[in-house]
Amino acid sequence: MRNLADTLSRSEIFRSGHALCPGCPGGMIFRWITKALGKDSILSMGATCLALPTGIYPSSVEIPSIYIAMAPAPAAVSGISAAIKVLKRKGRIREDRKINVFAISGDGSSGDIGMASLSGAAERDDDGIYFCFDNEAYMNTGIQRSGLTPQFSWTTSTLKGKVEKKKDLPRIMAAHDIPYVATVSVGYPEDFISKIEKARDMGPGFKYFHIHAPCPTGWRFPESKTIEVARLAVETGFWTLYEVDHGSTRITYQPPKLRPVMDYLQLQGRFEGLSDGNVRELQRGIHEKWEHQITLTPE
Amino acid sequence: MTQSKALGPDPLKLYTYSDLPIGATAIGIPPEKRKTGLWRYMRPAFLERIPPCQEGCPLGNWIDRFNAGVTDKELDQAWWALRLENPFPGVCGRVCYHPCQESCNRKDMEGALSIQAMERHLADHFFHKKSKPLRLGKNQGKKTAVVGSGPAGLSCAYFLALMGYDVTVFEAQADPGGMLSQVIPRYRLPKEVLVRDLENIREAGVEIRVNSPIGKDLTLGRLQENGYQAIFISAGAPLSRKLSMEGVTLDGVYWGVEFLREVNTGKPTALNGDVVVVGGGNVAIDVALTALRLGAGSVRIASLESRAEMPAHSWEQDDALEEGVSFHNGWGPKRILGEDGNVVGIELKRCISVFDKEGRFAPVYDEAVTETFKAEAVIMAIGQATDLSFLEGSGIQIEPGETIQVDPVTLQTTVAEIFAGGDSIDQPRSVSEAIGSGKRAAIAMDHFLRGDDLAEIVQKGALARTMREHLDLDVNPAPRCRKAATLEDLNLAYCSSLPPHQPRKLSPVDRAGNFKEINIGMAPEEITEEAKRCLSCGVCRMCGNCYLFCPDGAVQLDSSTDRYAIDYDYCKGCGICQNECPAGAIVVEVEGVG
Ligand SMILES: Cc1cc2nc3c(=O)[nH]c(=O)nc-3n(C[C@H](O)[C@H](O)[C@H](O)COP(=O)(O)OP(=O)(O)OC[C@H]3O[C@@H](n4cnc5c(N)ncnc54)[C@H](O)[C@@H]3O)c2cc1C
Ligand SMILES: Cc1ncc(C[n+]2csc(CCOP(=O)(O)OP(=O)(O)O)c2C)c(N)n1
Ligand code: SF4
C-alpha cells in the first residue's frame, strides 16, 4: 500500500534526541516541515517551546537556523530572504537555486508579542513561509494565557477559565491579502503536507500556516492522546481546516458529521471546570462559525 | 578548503556546516548522544494479534495476507498465501460455509467482508494460468498413505507432499474428490472447478489411486507392510442416515446422499409430479433444488425445525425460496403412503419442539395433528452416517457415535502411526473442517515421522495449526499474542464506513432445468473494492502512522526487514504510535515490567 509515509522523504532533517516533552506535536511538525521543504532551507526560530531542539547544544535541526527573540521571527524571514535576493544578484548564489525560508513561532509570539512584526512581513509580502505553532498559550514559560487561548480554558493565569474569546489569527492574516493562508492540524498529516508542498511550490511571497497543536502538558491530557485530541478538534468543528489561496477560500476537510464539542472538551483537563452553559456557548459558537465559513466555500 | 575558517563560510558552500567558524553555530553536530529514551516509563512494542476471521476459519486460511494481496493488486502474492494454506481455493471459494465471515469485525458495522468472494476470485483468476507448485520441504524419503480422497484426505496428502513426503491416496470410487465430486450439486460446484483444484494437488506431488478401496483386498496392515510409515484415514460419512417408518421401502422413496450421488455420477434420474423432501439441513436444500432441475412439478421441504432453527444456512434457504420451493416447518414424517408399491403421498405429524432444555436433538410430536400431501416421490435427507466396517481388526477404536476415536489435538488414533480426520471423526461436517483436520494431521504426522515427542509438543501448546506457523514462514513479527483482535483493539477513526458488495446470481428463470452455476461472482473491480474494506485487524498494514506521528522520530523503517521498528534510545514512551495504530498491532507496557 502506497501512502504518505512512503511518498515523504525518509531522511530525518529534524533529528531524534531533542528535549521536547513526550507526545509534543512540535516533534511531528518539525519532522514533516523539514521533510517537505528539504535541506535547502533556512529557519527563523522564535524563542518558544520549539526553540528547545534548535537552541540546546547540539541542535536537532540540520539546517541553518537563527534562534531569535519572540517578536522578530517574521522580521528574520524578511531579512534572510532579502539577503538571498542580494546574494543572487551579486552572483554569489545561483539564480535558479530555490532556498526555502521559513519561521516557526508560538501563538503568543505570533498573535500577541510579535503581531506587528508578523503583520509587517505580510504587508511587505516578503518571501517565506511562517508557521504559527498554536498550542493556545505561552507554554514555554509555564502555560500563561495568550490571545489565542480559547474561551473558558484554564491556564496558570486564568485559573477560573479565560473570559475572552480566541483571537482569529488566520483570518487576520488572510486580510493581509498574501498569496496563501492555511489552517492545518497535526491530526491530518495528508492535508498538512499537501498544503506545505503547495506553498513551497508557489512563487515568492509571504505564506502563513496556522497549526492547531494540542499540548499534552499544557492542556492536561495524556501524552498518547495528542493526535486524538487534534482529530476531535476538527471532527467537532472546533478547528477548521481551510486554505485561502490567492483570495479564494476553500474548506479542505469537511467532517462527515460534526460531533458534539463535548467529545473534544472532555479529554482535556483545561476544560474540566466548564459549566453546561459554557459548553452550550462553545457549541453555539461552532455552529455560527460553520454557517459563516461554509458560505465562504466556493463549490 | 580554500578559505580560512576565520573568514567565515565559503558562500558557494553555504550549507556545509563543517566549514562554519567554530562557535558560530552548533548546527551539524548530531544530537545522537542525547539518549532521550532514558525519559521513558512506558514502552511501546509491535505485537500483532490474530485477525478474528482467521480465528474463525477452521482451516486457518491466511486471510489478511491474501486479502492484502488483492487490495494491492499483487495477485501472485495473494495466490501464494492462499495456496500455502488451502489446497481447494476454487472449491472453498464456492461451497465453504465461510464461518470466517461470521467473525469479521465489520459484521456489526456495514456487514462482513466477502472473504469467500476473494478466494473465488483468486481461483478464477489463476484458472487458466499455470501456477508453480509450492515446495516447502526437502524430500524426506518416507512413504505415507491416505485413505479416501475427499477434502480431508487430499488436504492431508497435499501438505504431506509440500513437506517432502511421498504420499499415495487410496480412493474406493472411480472419481477423486469425495463428496465434492460425488454429491455436491454442480450448480453450486462446477465440475471443472474441482478438477482444476485436483490438478494443482496432483502437481504438488500427490498420487491418487482410484478404484482402490481399503478393506478386504488391500488392508491397512498390508499398507504398513508395504512401507507406508504413517497413514491418514478420511473415509467420510458416505451413507444417508436411515429411518424406519411405514412406507420407506416403496418405489419413489429416495435417500438424500445416494440420490445426489446418482445424479452427479450421471445415472439417469427423472422426476415428475410432486416431490416432498424430508429434512432441514443444507442437504435437504440441495436435494430439493436438484429435484426441481430433474423435472419435479412442485417441491416441498418438510422440516421439524422452524425456519430460524433449520440447520440449513439462510442463504441456501433464500435460493430455495427464489426457485419456488415451499417450506413446511414444524412437521415430521409419520408414514409414507403407497399404492401398488409406489409412493402416492406422505403423512406428516406436528412437531411441537425439536430440542430439549439442554439444546439436544429430542423432537416431541403431537401425533393427533397431521397433514397429508400428495407426492410422486419422497426424498429423505435427515443426516449422514459413516461406514467404518473396513477398520475391523485394525485396532483402531470406534466411538459410540460410529466415528473414529482420535486425540483432539494430534488427530492420532489408538494406533500410533494412524491418524484420522474429516467426516469420519467427531467434528462439524463441512469442507473447511475437513481440510483443517487434514492439515493438522499432516503437521502432527510430520512430527511423528521425525520422531518428535508429540505429547510434549502438545503439552507446551507448540503444535501448529497452520503451515505458516509450522514452517515458520511468517515474515511479520511472530504472533506472540494468540489473542484475536477485537473491535476495541482498533482505532476506528481510520475506518471509513464502506458498504459491502454482493456477488451476482443467475436469475431463477435462467436456473430452471439446468445445472449452471447459480453464483456468478463479483467483477474484478468490485473485488478490489471489497478487499479494501478489510480493517486488517491486529495485523500491521504498513500504513506508517507510527512513523509519521512519532514526535521523536523513534519509529523508522528497518531496511533489512522493510518493517517499522522502534528505536528505544530515543522513544520517550508517549504511546502515540499505539493510540494511532489503526490495526491494534502495537501495545504499551510499563517499562521494566515483564
Ligand atoms: C449433499 C451435501 C452437500 C454438502 N455441501 C457442503 C457445502 O456446501 N459446504 C461444506 O462445507 N460442506 C458441505 N457438505 C459436507 C462436506 O461435503 C463434507 O463434510 C466433506 O466432504 C467431508 O470430507 P471428507 O474428506 O471427510 O469425506 P468425503 O468427502 O466424504 O470423502 C471420503 C472419501 O473416502 C472414500 N472412501 C470411503 N471409504 C473408503 C475406503 N474404505 N477406501 C478408500 N476410500 C474410501 C469415499 O469414496 C470418499 O471419496 C455437504 C455434504 C453433503 C452430503
Ligand atoms: C521578547 C520576549 N519576551 C519574553 C520572552 C520569554 N519567553 C520565552 S518563551 C515564551 C513563551 C512563548 O509562548 P508562545 O509564543 O505561545 O510559544 P510556546 O512556547 O507556547 O510554543 C516567553 C514569554 C522572550 N523570549 N522574549
Ligand atoms: S500504525 Fe500502521 S504501520 Fe504502524 S503498526 Fe499500526 S498498522 Fe503498522
Side-chain angles (χ1 to χ4, degrees):
Chain A
M1 194 161 64
R2 296 281 305 166
N3 47 39
L4 183 61
D6 301 319
T7 49
L8 261 187
S9 157
R10 288 271 177 206
S11 89
E12 300 282 350
I13 298 173
F14 181 75
R15 306 278 281 267
S16 304
H18 57 70
L20 295 174
C21 298
C24 175
M28 303 164 201
I29 67 127
F30 244 130
R31 291 179 56 225
W32 301 348
I33 293 172
T34 49
K35 277 169 187 283
L37 295 183
K39 267 206 159 179
D40 230 4
S41 304
I42 302 174
L43 164 66
S44 154
M45 185 63 241
T48 66
C49 282
L50 294 201
L52 289 173
T54 63
I56 294 182
Y57 175 88
S59 169
S60 278
V61 196
E62 270 216 78
I63 48 173
S65 56
I66 173 164
Y67 175 24
I68 201 164
M70 280 180 78
V77 169
S78 305
I80 296 164
S81 57
I84 292 171
K85 221 191 268 174
V86 171
L87 289 171
K88 281 187 175 173
R89 194 169 61 222
K90 291 190 173 172
R92 306 212 18 210
I93 300 179
R94 274 198 334 273
E95 189 62 46
D96 58 354
R97 182 167 174 185
K98 169 101 172 109
I99 299 168
N100 297 303
V101 181
F102 69 104
I104 302 180
S105 208
D107 50 287
S109 318
S110 315
D112 299 342
I113 301 182
M115 181 88 218
S117 154
L118 178 61
S119 177
E123 185 263 335
R124 291 186 302 272
D125 199 16
D126 289 326
D127 186 27
I129 309 178
Y130 188 91
F131 294 93
C132 171
F133 179 74
D134 186 5
N135 52 20
E136 303 192 324
Y138 292 79
M139 292 304 179
N140 195 27
T141 40
I143 325 173
Q144 292 85 13
R145 87 185 266 296
S146 80
L148 274 78
T149 301
Q151 196 180 16
F152 307 128
S153 168
W154 166 92
T155 65
T156 53
S157 52
T158 54
L159 294 179
K160 292 188 172 160
K162 188 187 172 197
V163 179
E164 302 81 6
K165 287 190 182 168
K166 180 179 172 81
K167 185 189 288 188
D168 195 346
L169 192 52
R171 279 215 287 150
I172 296 173
M173 294 314 293
H176 285 73
D177 217 3
I178 49 181
Y180 194 62
V181 172
T183 60
V184 292
S185 158
V186 285
Y188 295 79
E190 279 91 358
D191 178 78
F192 194 136
I193 286 158
S194 68
K195 285 170 175 170
I196 299 180
E197 287 167 348
K198 188 171 191 178
R200 175 195 67 195
D201 298 339
M202 271 180 190
F206 198 76
K207 296 106 190 171
Y208 177 80
F209 277 70
H210 200 101
I211 307 167
H212 193 246
C215 165
T217 312
W219 298 11
R220 320 311 270 170
F221 63 81
E223 55 264 38
S224 60
K225 301 280 183 199
T226 305
I227 299 302
E228 194 169 322
V229 171
R231 186 163 52 232
L232 281 166
V234 173
E235 298 296 332
T236 57
F238 196 90
W239 186 245
T240 319
L241 301 181
Y242 66 91
E243 63 179 11
V244 187
D245 184 352
H246 293 87
S248 65
T249 306
R250 188 174 69 94
I251 308 259
T252 53
Y253 172 76
Q254 173 84 57
K257 184 171 161 270
L258 289 190
R259 292 173 58 161
V261 70
M262 200 54 197
D263 289 1
Y264 170 61
L265 302 177
Q266 70 190 2
L267 283 175
Q268 308 170 47
R270 64 174 176 156
F271 290 120
E272 212 161 52
L274 256 63
S275 69
D276 291 351
N278 295 158
V279 176
R280 271 199 303 277
E281 206 171 321
L282 289 174
Q283 189 69 70
R284 186 162 1 94
I286 289 174
H287 285 314
E288 278 164 14
K289 177 178 82 171
W290 271 85
E291 266 159 39
H292 176 63
Q293 280 180 343
I294 282 164
T295 58
L296 284 176
T297 315
E299 272 311 310
Chain B
M1 197 153 53
T2 52
Q3 272 176 294
S4 148
K5 275 201 173 193
L7 292 179
D10 173 353
L12 296 174
K13 289 188 192 166
L14 199 56
Y15 308 104
T16 314
Y17 309 109
S18 49
D19 290 352
L20 291 176
I22 291 149
T25 172
I27 288 168
I29 300 166
E32 252 92 83
K33 291 266 158 59
R34 203 159 40 223
K35 303 265 154 88
T36 47
L38 289 169
W39 302 14
R40 185 181 59 246
Y41 64 95
M42 298 297 281
R43 170 183 278 255
F46 292 101
L47 182 60
E48 296 198 311
R49 280 164 231 247
I50 302 178
C53 48
Q54 268 168 50
E55 199 76 337
C57 173
L59 68 88
N61 251 336
W62 203 351
I63 297 173
D64 72 279
R65 188 55 73 92
F66 68 67
N67 205 73
V70 174
T71 314
D72 301 345
K73 303 214 172 88
E74 305 267 11
L75 293 190
D76 286 324
Q77 282 176 26
W79 185 229
W80 178 84
L82 181 52
R83 288 196 307 148
L84 175 68
E85 299 293 354
N86 189 354
F88 283 106
V91 168
C92 287
R94 283 160 168 94
V95 302
C96 178
Y97 299 141
H98 46 75
C100 51
Q101 296 182 200
E102 288 305 305
S103 28
C104 174
N105 272 334
R106 277 253 190 214
K107 187 174 171 234
D108 295 330
M109 300 163 83
E110 314 86 357
L113 236 83
S114 259
I115 299 165
Q116 190 180 31
M118 228 68 73
E119 226 174 345
R120 172 182 170 149
H121 171 69
L122 287 168
D124 287 357
H125 180 86
F126 287 95
F127 190 89
H128 293 295
K129 297 188 174 60
K130 190 137 180 69
S131 309
K132 221 172 87 212
L134 307 178
R135 260 275 163 225
L136 305 171
K138 291 197 299 282
N139 197 331
Q140 310 272 356
K142 285 179 181 155
K143 271 167 69 175
T144 58
V146 169
V147 179
S149 71
L154 288 182
S155 153
C156 185
Y158 175 78
F159 292 113
L160 285 171
L162 292 192
M163 291 187 285
Y165 292 98
D166 287 343
V167 49
T168 311
V169 180
F170 296 89
E171 168 56 51
Q173 303 288 329
D175 253 345
M179 291 290 187
L180 306 177
S181 69
Q182 295 170 27
V183 303
I184 296 186
R186 296 284 176 252
Y187 60 81
R188 291 204 292 121
L189 179 60
K191 180 96 188 183
E192 61 273 17
V193 173
L194 172 63
V195 167
R196 187 69 185 89
D197 280 353
L198 291 175
E199 252 170 52
N200 277 341
I201 291 170
R202 284 206 180 87
E203 271 168 24
V206 174
E207 187 200 339
I208 307 175
R209 283 190 207 160
V210 293
N211 298 317
S212 309
I214 299 300
K216 272 203 238 60
D217 298 333
L218 185 55
T219 60
L220 285 176
R222 272 291 293 285
L223 290 182
Q224 286 169 308
E225 284 160 27
N226 286 348
Y228 293 101
Q229 298 182 30
I231 301 174
F232 179 68
I233 297 178
S234 50
L239 309 173
S240 283
R241 202 164 58 217
K242 297 284 164 69
L243 186 74
S244 58
M245 177 178 56
E246 185 185 330
V248 288
T249 53
L250 289 165
D251 261 1
V253 175
Y254 301 91
W255 297 92
V257 173
E258 289 75 4
F259 169 78
L260 292 171
R261 188 172 288 131
E262 299 226 323
V263 176
N264 258 18
T265 48
K267 301 245 171 66
T269 321
L271 289 176
N272 47 45
D274 301 322
V275 173
V276 174
V277 177
V278 176
N282 293 309
V283 178
I285 308 261
D286 282 346
V287 164
L289 296 190
T290 301
L292 272 180
R293 282 162 176 71
L294 295 176
S298 80
V299 176
R300 296 188 159 90
I301 293 181
S303 85
L304 303 176
E305 301 91 352
S306 66
R307 278 291 299 285
E309 286 169 335
M310 279 172 74
H313 293 111
S314 59
W315 61 88
E316 308 244 6
Q317 297 184 33
D318 292 345
D319 280 347
L321 285 172
E322 276 171 20
E323 296 197 20
V325 171
S326 61
F327 285 97
H328 297 267
N329 295 95
W331 295 99
K334 191 174 166 106
R335 61 198 178 107
I336 301 174
L337 310 171
E339 261 175 39
D340 309 326
N342 291 318
V343 171
V344 294
I346 183 167
E347 188 179 332
L348 303 173
K349 56 186 176 183
R350 189 87 234 178
C351 175
I352 304 165
S353 71
V354 188
F355 304 102
D356 65 12
K357 280 206 189 66
E358 276 79 48
R360 280 178 304 226
F361 182 75
V364 179
Y365 300 100
D366 182 348
E367 302 276 346
V369 184
T370 61
E371 185 163 359
T372 302
F373 288 112
K374 189 167 84 58
E376 266 79 66
V378 169
I379 312 176
M380 307 290 290
I382 54 169
Q384 284 75 249
T386 56
D387 176 5
L388 301 174
S389 49
F390 72 101
L391 294 180
E392 256 166 51
S394 64
I396 294 173
Q397 288 286 323
I398 307 296
E399 303 265 15
E402 285 299 307
T403 51
I404 300 174
Q405 186 185 325
V406 288
D407 176 285
V409 183
T410 63
L411 303 183
Q412 200 167 24
T413 67
T414 44
V415 176
E417 57 273 28
I418 302 185
F419 297 71
D423 284 2
S424 295
I425 65 168
D426 182 14
Q427 68 167 16
R429 286 179 175 167
S430 73
V431 173
S432 52
E433 291 280 359
I435 297 172
S437 67
K439 182 193 301 186
R440 293 200 306 281
I443 292 170
M445 288 160 87
D446 182 33
H447 285 296
F448 174 80
L449 289 167
R450 289 165 185 276
D452 298 343
D453 186 342
L454 258 180
E456 192 191 308
I457 295 174
V458 173
Q459 207 199 355
K460 281 201 227 140
L463 190 65
R465 296 171 64 88
T466 60
M467 274 295 126
R468 56 192 185 278
E469 285 174 288
H470 183 56
L471 302 174
D472 211 4
L473 289 177
D474 198 345
V475 291
N476 286 351
R480 271 193 287 141
C481 182
R482 294 293 314 177
K483 278 207 311 250
T486 63
L487 261 190
E488 283 71 51
D489 294 323
L490 310 183
N491 188 335
L492 294 180
Y494 297 97
C495 150
S496 34
S497 166
L498 299 171
H501 301 78
Q502 302 297 346
R504 273 186 299 274
K505 292 203 290 187
L506 217 58
S507 77
V509 182
D510 293 332
R511 298 181 211 165
N514 64 57
F515 282 80
K516 274 194 234 157
E517 187 172 18
I518 296 180
N519 189 334
I520 307 171
M522 288 186 200
E525 316 77 67
E526 283 178 315
I527 286 287
T528 319
E529 287 307 307
E530 184 64 13
K532 285 186 191 154
R533 298 179 62 233
C534 175
L535 299 169
S536 191
C537 308
V539 178
C540 173
R541 274 287 273 132
M542 296 298 288
C543 72
N545 274 3
C546 48
Y547 160 76
L548 278 178
F549 286 129
C550 178
D552 293 284
V555 183
Q556 294 293 335
L557 201 61
D558 178 341
S559 54
S560 68
T561 59
D562 246 353
R563 316 290 301 177
Y564 287 106
I566 299 172
D567 186 343
Y568 293 104
D569 276 351
Y570 303 108
C571 164
K572 291 179 190 146
C574 67
I576 289 178
C577 54
Q578 190 264 342
N579 205 66
E580 298 312 313
C581 177
I586 302 180
V587 290
V588 181
E589 288 151 0
V590 176
E591 185 64 54
V593 179

